[in-house]
């Protein structure tokens, strides 16, 4: 589907990638919405410390239609009927949305946008196991079934989120942390003695497109695919119809920067994972992060005025950070956004 009708904001905005420390959704939601007020992008926190069902695989698998999952010793497995682990995952997600509705309803001015994160269909297939214990990624039919099932389930999910934040522009982040290994054929089998066969790039783009089309139909105004920087398949992301690429900046090659520049010039967005929160010196200064974005941006010949297409994010999830440090990261990201906006305005 063409993306020409998407209106890009005129200023840099900040957001987080989803994972957050602790087990209290009320505290997490208050902090995130407090730090990422408009024009920034608050998000539905993922709290993996809560245990089974709060992990990224279980959380997304809870949305699948006509595919039940449960936890086995080797991880999440597709099963014949829902078990207690799936019920727990659905309950946790429902609680989070209810908390969001309560807190958003107390605010004097609602956020203009809101983001949810989902595990993308390829990494989801790599994280789910079949009845025989092998990863679902190994089977062509299973890969297609998982993508179709996820596509069927996202509509109800976005409807619930939209009801919790009425009037907000919905943004969806599809996380594909395993995509380089999926494409390279380096994901181990369940036995660990072999690796799964690589998945062709055209199939990857096709499965993404299935989910992206369903998200658009469900009302998503912007869809980003988040990938690691190593062997990131930018061209496949764009061919699948995503509006944005989310990627850490810390190890991008010159060629990757050139690809990102081409995407920006074509009207796509870059979610720049510019702030590394887990470094030895703690949260970096805003000025240093601004410079780490400005330098390659200008070296590629991109105008500073085009910085307004950026979102700035941490380079990874914040679930392993102390809560105070995670909060500081969001504060710093808004400062980085302010600094880049000043450059954009000249």
């Amino acid at each position: 589907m063409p993306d020409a009708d998407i209106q890009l904001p005129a200023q840099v905005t900040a957001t987080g990638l989803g994972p957050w420390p602790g087990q209290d959704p009320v505290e997490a939601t208050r902090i995130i919405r407090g730090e990422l007020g408009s024009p920034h992008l608050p998000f539905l926190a993922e709290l993996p410390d809560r245990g089974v069902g709060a992990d990224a695989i279980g959380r997304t698998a809870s949305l699948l239609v006509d595919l039940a999952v449960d936890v086995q010793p080797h991880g999440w497995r597709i099963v014949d009927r829902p078990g207690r682990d799936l019920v727990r995952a659905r309950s946790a997600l429902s609680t989070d949305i209810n908390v969001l509705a309560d807190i958003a309803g107390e605010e004097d001015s609602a956020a203009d946008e809101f983001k949810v994160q989902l595990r993308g269909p390829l990494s989801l297939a790599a994280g789910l196991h079949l009845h025989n214990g092998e990863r679902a990624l190994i089977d062509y039919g299973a890969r297609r079934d998982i993508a179709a099932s996820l596509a069927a389930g996202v509509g109800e999910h976005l409807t619930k989120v939209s009801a919790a934040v009425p009037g907000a522009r919905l943004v969806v982040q599809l996380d594909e942390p395993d995509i380089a290994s999926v494409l390279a054929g380096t994901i181990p089998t369940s036995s660990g003695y072999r690796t799964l066969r690589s998945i062709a790039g055209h199939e990857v783009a096709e499965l993404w497109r299935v989910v992206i089309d369903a998200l658009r139909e469900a009302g998503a105004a912007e869809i980003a695919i988040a990938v690691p920087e190593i062997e990131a398949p930018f061209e496949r992301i764009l061919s699948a119809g995503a509006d944005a690429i989310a990627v850490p900046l810390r190890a991008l090659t010159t060629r990757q920067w050139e690809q990102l520049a081409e995407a920006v010039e074509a009207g796509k967005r870059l979610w720049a994972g510019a702030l590394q929160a887990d470094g030895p010196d703690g949260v970096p200064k805003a000025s240093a992060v601004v410079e780490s974005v400005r330098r390659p941006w200008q070296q590629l010949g991109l105008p500073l005025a085009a910085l307004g297409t950026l979102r700035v994010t941490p380079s990874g999830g914040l679930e392993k950070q102390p809560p105070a440090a995670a909060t500081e990261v969001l504060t710093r990201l808004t400062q980085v956004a302010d600094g880049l906006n000043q450059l954009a305005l000249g």
Side-chain angles (χ1 to χ4, degrees):
M1 181 176 293
D3 310 312
D5 59 337
I6 292 176
Q7 299 298 310
L8 297 177
Q11 56 187 321
V12 183
T13 55
T15 192
L17 294 177
W20 191 260
Q23 302 182 29
D24 185 351
V26 174
E27 179 185 34
T29 302
R30 289 194 187 282
I31 290 172
I32 291 167
R33 293 187 71 80
E35 295 294 329
L36 297 178
S38 292
H40 303 296
L41 179 60
F43 56 92
L44 191 65
E46 300 173 355
L47 304 171
D49 284 350
R50 283 193 290 185
V52 172
D55 60 291
I57 294 293
R59 198 169 172 86
T60 301
S62 74
L63 304 179
L64 297 177
V65 173
D66 295 330
L67 279 180
V69 296
D70 211 343
V71 174
Q72 304 294 325
H74 49 265
W76 287 95
R77 189 178 74 171
I78 297 171
V79 293
D80 294 331
R81 57 182 62 87
R84 61 183 181 181
D85 298 317
L86 180 57
V87 171
R88 186 182 305 174
R90 287 173 174 167
S91 176
L93 185 56
S94 178
T95 295
D96 291 351
I97 296 173
N98 290 337
V99 166
L100 171 65
D102 291 342
I103 293 175
E106 297 170 356
E107 296 171 347
D108 294 331
S109 57
D112 295 330
E113 299 183 303
F114 190 74
K115 176 172 73 76
V116 296
Q117 307 79 223
L118 301 172
R119 187 55 57 103
L122 279 305
S123 296
L124 186 60
L128 293 176
H129 297 259
L130 302 172
H131 288 274
N132 62 7
E134 193 49 86
R135 296 178 190 271
L137 188 70
I138 198 173
D139 184 88
Y140 173 77
R143 296 193 298 268
R144 295 188 66 83
D145 287 348
I146 288 170
S149 179
L150 180 58
V154 295
E156 182 179 357
H157 180 53
L158 291 195
T159 296
K160 292 177 180 177
V161 173
S162 183
V165 285
R169 178 179 183 268
L170 290 186
V171 179
V172 179
Q173 170 189 319
L174 288 176
D175 291 320
E176 288 284 10
D178 300 319
I179 194 59
S181 298
V182 168
L183 288 166
T186 58
I187 289 183
T189 59
S190 58
S191 68
Y193 294 120
R194 297 182 296 110
T195 57
L196 301 182
R197 181 179 300 175
S198 63
I199 308 301
H202 66 84
E203 183 188 341
V204 168
E206 179 186 345
L207 295 180
W208 280 341
R209 196 174 298 114
V210 167
V211 179
I212 287 172
D213 287 349
L215 288 167
R216 285 207 202 288
E217 188 174 341
E222 181 181 338
I223 301 161
I225 295 183
V227 294
E229 67 272 31
I230 306 302
E231 301 296 331
F234 296 152
E235 292 179 358
R236 297 293 182 186
I237 292 173
L238 299 178
S239 68
D243 305 307
I245 294 169
V247 64
L249 302 187
R250 55 193 171 194
L252 290 181
T253 65
T254 300
R255 174 56 184 149
Q256 287 178 311
W257 268 110
E258 290 170 349
Q259 289 178 309
L260 291 173
E262 292 170 3
V264 170
E265 290 172 338
K268 301 294 183 176
R269 301 192 64 178
L270 170 60
W271 292 21
L275 195 157
Q276 187 172 351
D278 55 359
D281 299 324
V283 179
K285 293 182 178 179
S287 58
V289 181
V290 168
E291 181 63 14
S292 73
V293 177
R294 183 206 63 78
R295 189 185 311 109
W297 192 267
Q298 286 197 294
Q299 286 173 346
L300 290 165
L302 290 169
L304 289 178
L307 284 169
T309 63
L310 285 176
R311 292 195 193 275
V312 289
T313 78
S315 59
L318 300 174
E319 70 275 20
K320 295 181 181 179
Q321 298 291 318
T327 303
E328 184 183 4
V329 167
L330 298 189
T331 303
R332 192 60 43 83
L333 284 169
T334 62
Q335 295 168 352
V336 170
D338 288 344
L340 290 169
N341 281 321
Q342 290 176 21
L343 290 176
L345 295 172

